Amino acid sequence: MRTLIKNARIVNEGRIFESDLLIENGLIAKIAKNIAEVDSDKIIDASGKMLIPGIIDDQVHFREPGLTHKGDIESESRAAVAGGVTSFFDQPNTVPNTVSQELLEEKNQLAEGNSYANFGFSMGGTNDNLDEILKTNPLKTPAVKLFLGSSTGNMLVDNPEVLEEIFSKVAMPICVHCEDEATIRENTDRFKAEFGDDIPVKFHPEIRSAEACYISSSKAVELAEKTGAKLHIYHISTAKETELFRNDIPLKDKRITTEVCVHHLHFCDEDYSEKGTLIKWNPAVKTKADREALWQALLDDRIDIIATDHAPHTFEEKQQPYTKCPSGAPLVQHSLNVMLEYHRQGKISLEKIVEKMCHNPAILFQVERRGFIREGYFADLVLVDLGAEFTVGKDNILYKCGWSPLEGETFHSQITHTFVNGNLACENGKFSDKKFGERLRFERNF
């Protein structure tokens, strides 16, 4: 299959330039002006549109196995592709938790032939599964994931000796959720004493506080510096945490990295009054000052990646009292639209969006031949119309849970075409009958 994209404005590696692009046998065969149309099976005129690499979202919860009433690999990867996400790393807190090689392989088998997007599944760590962690194939697995704050099942890693051993022995990236459990429990008990189970959600950022985040993040950084581990801290949410990270060395040379999620860039604590538990995340959405500090750290390269932490729950689950309401929300369909809206407002460049959502995940996790528009790379590509608006509503939400914290918001961009491994997976909201996602591979020398 040969597909020719004509007259696109390509955003790639810090440049925006007009060019044609030829896709052949799943790969980017040629990037040049005025590529001849001879022998092309399909020609797409991309005049006026931006062509970017497919987004790599390094943190999603697609809920399969065990929680498929909320979402599954098929439904959530379909929403991802509609939003320009062509590759994802799914997290291990499914049911059962992905904490053995057998369970890790079972998840990969679930995705084979069932995922619209390319997939990688992280190996989960516990206080007692180091032997299983060390069997993980670094060429087929994005990372080891540790929860340093409470999570589903037995995934809270709170034994200091075990943590140091994992950090000392694991060569692949160690991704961590950082919130201090003792601080959170103490805060929860204090508010429960006053309100019972029905704590007003506005107190969520006081329960899962900035202090709880910083205590945990700073300890993780200290341990990584001591052991030399390759540490990636997921979804930082506070101004103080941004001080832990560097911007004076290239990403490829960093041993300690971090990311921010779309919701921490978009919402703040003032939004709880309108959105309520629909924006209850862990870590919590915090103050305007925290949000502005995250933006500053993103733009000056202390923060390396933009992700979603896509975590669907049913609407009914999200209506429960505070202590029973699960944290998390679906975002993977609209993450690019949110960031493009901030570009429209002049807050971030297109080049920087592509760097943080496409290039940097590929660099940091050493993803094989993805994340860039380069000849010989897999043709994971996204065409965007920056002049088309839409409003998020029930009629266009693709998540299995059927809702979004962004409902009612109008965006001034639309993803018109998404290519996965050279195949047109989604065109103007219409999906291919086939699913083209493949298991991701990683270029590592250990």
Side-chain angles (χ1 to χ4, degrees):
M1 181 71 180
R2 289 164 57 94
T3 301
L4 179 60
I5 301 173
K6 298 285 291 182
N7 309 312
R9 294 191 70 208
I10 295 177
V11 186
N12 188 59
E13 299 187 74
R15 297 174 57 216
I16 300 177
F17 58 98
E18 190 166 305
S19 181
D20 298 348
L21 184 146
L22 179 65
I23 300 169
E24 188 172 10
N25 298 324
L27 304 177
I28 299 171
K30 189 174 183 180
I31 305 166
K33 287 192 173 183
N34 302 315
I35 298 175
E37 299 179 4
V38 179
D39 297 330
S40 293
D41 299 294
K42 184 177 181 67
I43 299 170
I44 296 172
D45 183 2
S47 297
K49 294 181 180 178
M50 315 302 297
L51 181 65
I52 69 170
I55 292 168
I56 301 172
D57 192 333
D58 77 338
Q59 188 189 181
V60 304
H61 303 266
F62 281 0
R63 302 306 192 195
E64 190 171 1
L67 299 165
T68 52
H69 66 287
K70 304 173 190 275
D72 55 50
I73 291 168
E74 181 178 20
S75 66
E76 306 312 285
S77 68
R78 185 170 180 263
V81 163
V85 176
T86 57
S87 298
F88 64 86
F89 302 167
D90 190 73
Q91 302 307 300
N93 56 331
T94 44
V95 180
N97 300 154
T98 314
V99 294
S100 72
Q101 293 304 309
E102 180 182 5
L103 291 169
L104 180 62
E105 190 54 37
E106 284 179 10
K107 283 184 79 170
N108 278 287
Q109 290 301 316
L110 285 171
E112 290 286 351
N114 200 34
S115 179
Y116 286 88
N118 303 308
F119 52 89
F121 294 95
S122 291
M123 176 67 180
T126 71
N127 282 325
D128 53 15
N129 77 331
L130 180 60
D131 289 346
E132 285 295 309
I133 291 173
L134 294 177
K135 295 175 187 174
T136 305
N137 186 340
L139 303 182
K140 294 184 176 182
T141 309
V144 170
K145 170 69 177 291
L146 305 179
F147 287 89
L148 307 187
S150 58
S151 180
T152 306
N154 182 39
M155 295 199 69
L156 173 62
V157 184
D158 58 358
N159 184 320
E161 293 179 0
V162 169
L163 268 177
E164 183 160 349
E165 197 168 11
I166 293 173
F167 273 54
S168 298
K169 293 183 177 180
V170 173
M172 62 196 300
I174 300 171
C175 296
V176 294
H177 176 133
C178 285
E179 291 182 284
D180 183 65
E181 187 65 16
T183 302
I184 293 167
R185 286 176 180 169
E186 181 181 332
N187 292 339
T188 302
D189 290 344
R190 179 162 52 88
F191 280 94
K192 281 188 73 173
E194 182 174 356
F195 295 103
D197 285 331
D198 202 9
I199 301 168
V201 71
K202 68 180 181 179
F203 294 119
H204 189 53
E206 295 184 42
I207 293 171
R208 304 191 84 95
S209 62
E211 179 189 22
C213 293
Y214 186 79
I215 289 171
S216 185
S217 295
S218 59
K219 284 181 180 177
V221 168
E222 182 180 356
L223 186 56
E225 290 174 341
K226 176 182 177 181
T227 60
K230 187 170 177 59
L231 172 69
H232 183 62
I233 297 183
Y234 277 152
H235 48 42
I236 66 166
S237 60
T238 71
K240 193 171 184 182
E241 286 174 291
T242 65
E243 300 168 5
L244 296 168
F245 304 98
R246 298 175 59 178
N247 62 359
D248 59 337
I249 53 176
L251 177 59
K252 65 180 180 63
D253 297 327
K254 288 186 181 183
R255 301 294 297 174
I256 299 170
T257 54
T258 192
E259 72 185 34
V260 66
C261 286
V262 169
H263 49 276
H264 289 125
L265 296 173
H266 191 59
F267 296 107
C268 73
D269 58 357
E270 296 176 8
D271 296 309
Y272 286 112
S273 60
E274 177 188 350
K275 297 288 186 178
T277 52
L278 296 183
I279 61 167
K280 182 181 182 236
W281 277 281
N282 298 340
V285 167
K286 297 185 173 67
T287 67
K288 263 187 178 179
D290 287 307
R291 181 175 64 184
E292 197 51 45
L294 293 171
W295 269 106
Q296 182 57 49
L298 176 71
L299 295 174
D300 72 20
D301 296 334
R302 282 173 290 156
I303 294 177
D304 305 292
I305 288 174
I306 300 168
T308 65
D309 194 16
H310 173 86
H313 300 284
T314 68
F315 189 77
E316 291 72 25
E317 288 170 330
K318 293 294 281 186
Q319 302 309 302
Q320 296 179 97
Y322 176 86
T323 58
K324 297 179 180 178
C325 171
S327 292
L331 275 176
V332 76
Q333 184 182 344
H334 303 108
S335 58
L336 179 56
N337 296 115
V338 172
M339 297 313 300
L340 290 172
E341 201 65 18
Y342 285 108
H343 164 68
R344 186 171 184 266
Q345 296 171 17
K347 201 169 183 75
I348 187 170
S349 69
L350 291 172
E351 298 95 319
K352 186 65 74 174
I353 291 172
V354 168
E355 176 188 320
K356 301 296 184 179
M357 301 184 83
C358 311
H359 302 337
N360 284 4
I363 294 169
L364 196 156
F365 292 96
Q366 297 169 291
V367 184
E368 182 182 56
R369 291 191 296 163
R370 302 186 193 274
F372 294 85
I373 297 179
R374 294 173 176 169
E375 291 179 1
Y377 271 51
F378 294 102
D380 295 339
L381 300 164
V382 179
L383 274 171
V384 181
D385 185 345
L386 294 179
E389 70 174 46
F390 77 102
T391 300
V392 179
K394 298 290 188 190
D395 61 329
N396 53 38
I397 291 170
L398 298 177
Y399 310 127
K400 191 174 187 179
C401 66
W403 66 275
S404 166
L406 301 169
E407 277 180 66
E409 293 197 37
T410 296
F411 296 108
H412 298 83
S413 62
Q414 287 191 24
I415 291 86
T416 62
H417 300 70
T418 303
F419 293 85
V420 178
N421 297 306
N423 301 283
L424 187 52
C426 184
E427 181 177 10
N428 295 314
K430 295 181 179 179
F431 293 85
S432 168
D433 293 334
K434 296 182 179 179
K435 303 178 184 73
F436 302 109
E438 296 180 0
R439 186 172 183 173
L440 295 167
R441 294 188 65 87
F442 303 88
E443 299 178 302
R444 295 166 176 162
N445 298 319
F446 49 80

